[in-house]
Amino acid sequence: MSSPDQFVHPFAEVALTNITREYPYAAHHVARSLADIVPAGEKNPAFANSYDWHSSVHMHYLLASLLGTEAGHTANWREEAIEVLSSHLSVVNMIAEADFLRDNPSWERPYGWAWAVELNRVLNANELPELRALGKNTQVLADTVFELVSTWLPKVAEPVRHGVHSNTAFGLRRILVGARAADRRDVVDIVAGAARRFYAEDAAWNFAQERSGHDFLSPGLCEADLMVEVLTDDERAAWLPEFLSDLSPESPALTPVKVHDPSDGQQSHLYGLGLSVAASVMRLAPQVEAIAEHTGDESLMEQAKRMLTRVDDLMGPGLEAAVSDEYISSHWVATFAWEALLLSTN
């Protein structure tokens, strides 16, 4: 198992390179008139870099996270990182980004929204006063997401259940965690209520057939991740083992997929799939173990332990891609790699 410490400096270099690189850039927004055809930086002064808006947001999140490590406190890139973050995450820029989200309420929903909340959360929780000050700046962005989520979720008939950006469960879990940290009980209740409405009756997810050729998320594991946050202890003890009943180490969902063309933006999602699946496994296995201990279910305990045996193989390709010269992968994979690495030390 790799140590997070050995990746702090290379990941910081990747993040800094990304958030100071303007092109190539994919804007992904609807133009209502010729007035909307302007350079991305005019609409999104903080996040018109790192290939697209959501990748920029979570690369800012990654850099802030790395600054919070022991190695980050004394790194030779520390001052540059703080300077870049301070410039990008200024009050004026954050108001502009929040206004753009309000004016385009379905844009970056829910994936980019979730990372905006995560960025705010990690800044507010950081020990460095410079980053906590930036948390005050980004609060307007997080609050805007909370407003948009509160308006959107009551109107959603069904969740999106696939393995890319619009997956509902992945975004909602991060927004829920961020809302708790911000003491936004109103948002927590709305997200938890929607999660119960969407997923509480689900059982025996088909992990043999969920994977597709451009997934970077496991729909089933994302759902389980969210429901673990929402359910009471008794509800979790009943729901989680039944939902994961078809998951085994031999499941395709726990098997890395070979990336034959790293320059293909869709196929390279599979690097992130291995990392996000590994992270989900590391969050869920202890939950399954706790239920098995409480119930005395030896087969359930064995399932949890065997799930964890797949983590190293799942993470390996993504760790390499995160620091590769192929920009189509390196503009985003390091964030998923860092989160998986942190979980691996717990």
Side-chain angles (χ1 to χ4, degrees):
M1 180 72 71
S2 300
S3 166
D5 293 343
Q6 71 193 78
F7 288 92
V8 170
H9 298 305
F11 281 4
E13 181 179 351
V14 167
L16 271 169
T17 300
N18 268 284
I19 66 174
T20 55
R21 176 172 177 166
E22 294 183 4
Y23 295 103
Y25 188 76
H28 302 310
H29 76 96
V30 174
R32 298 183 184 88
S33 72
L34 200 58
D36 287 335
I37 309 300
V38 297
E42 293 186 20
K43 300 185 294 291
N44 303 111
F47 304 126
N49 48 67
S50 192
Y51 192 77
D52 48 27
W53 194 90
H54 51 257
S55 300
S56 175
V57 174
H58 72 65
M59 275 293 173
H60 282 77
Y61 156 87
L62 173 62
L63 188 58
S65 301
L66 296 170
L67 278 167
T69 65
E70 185 176 346
H73 289 176
T74 57
N76 58 8
W77 43 265
R78 179 182 183 276
E79 295 304 322
E80 180 188 1
I82 291 174
E83 181 180 349
V84 171
L85 289 174
S86 299
S87 173
H88 289 192
L89 307 180
S90 68
V91 172
V92 171
N93 285 357
M94 290 301 95
I95 291 172
E97 294 286 2
D99 287 345
F100 191 82
L101 287 185
R102 287 193 200 94
D103 291 342
N104 299 272
S106 64
W107 185 71
E108 289 286 356
R109 183 184 72 193
Y111 184 77
W113 290 3
W115 284 114
V117 170
E118 281 278 73
L119 172 61
N120 178 248
R121 183 187 64 78
V122 78
L123 290 169
N124 286 333
N126 206 286
E127 295 180 358
L128 298 177
E130 300 97 326
L131 296 191
R132 288 200 306 276
L134 296 181
K136 294 179 181 178
N137 296 356
T138 59
Q139 194 63 52
V140 66
L141 190 62
D143 287 343
T144 298
V145 170
F146 292 149
E147 293 166 15
L148 291 169
V149 167
S150 300
T151 302
W152 168 61
L153 279 178
K155 302 175 184 177
V156 178
E158 292 288 343
V160 174
R161 302 172 184 269
H162 59 39
V164 290
H165 305 84
S166 52
N167 178 283
T168 304
F170 179 85
L172 290 191
R173 178 184 168 275
R174 290 171 183 272
I175 292 168
L176 176 69
V177 170
R180 281 180 178 152
D183 199 26
R184 287 293 302 266
R185 189 70 237 179
D186 57 327
V187 180
V188 170
D189 289 345
I190 288 169
V191 173
R196 287 177 175 275
R197 177 163 57 91
F198 296 153
Y199 306 119
E201 301 305 316
D202 287 359
W205 184 268
N206 185 350
F207 286 98
Q209 295 183 3
E210 72 164 31
R211 193 170 64 187
S212 70
H214 67 186
D215 284 352
F216 64 90
L217 303 170
S218 158
L221 294 177
C222 285
E223 179 177 334
D225 262 340
L226 172 62
M227 293 306 282
V228 160
E229 296 286 345
V230 167
L231 298 175
T232 66
D233 290 346
D234 288 345
E235 290 171 331
R236 190 184 307 120
W239 188 90
L240 188 61
E242 177 60 24
F243 184 78
L244 299 180
S245 58
D246 286 344
L247 183 65
S248 74
E250 293 74 34
S251 298
L254 297 187
T255 305
V257 189
K258 175 70 175 176
V259 175
H260 297 286
D261 183 2
S263 68
D264 183 324
Q266 298 298 318
Q267 189 179 153
S268 66
H269 279 175
L270 297 169
Y271 290 128
L273 178 63
L275 293 164
S276 67
V277 166
S280 289
V281 166
M282 287 185 280
R283 281 188 293 266
L284 292 169
Q287 298 285 342
V288 175
E289 288 181 352
I291 294 168
E293 269 188 24
H294 183 70
T295 60
D297 188 329
E298 293 183 6
S299 63
L300 190 61
M301 181 65 76
E302 181 66 15
Q303 180 192 26
K305 292 185 182 300
R306 293 183 69 215
M307 285 165 55
L308 288 168
T309 65
R310 305 301 298 142
V311 165
D312 284 357
D313 286 345
L314 286 163
M315 289 176 60
L319 289 175
E320 290 185 17
V323 292
S324 74
D325 293 332
E326 178 49 67
Y327 184 60
I328 206 68
S329 302
S330 64
H331 81 268
W332 67 281
V333 173
T335 306
F336 284 77
W338 180 246
E339 293 200 326
L341 283 165
L342 290 181
L343 286 164
S344 72
T345 64
N346 294 339

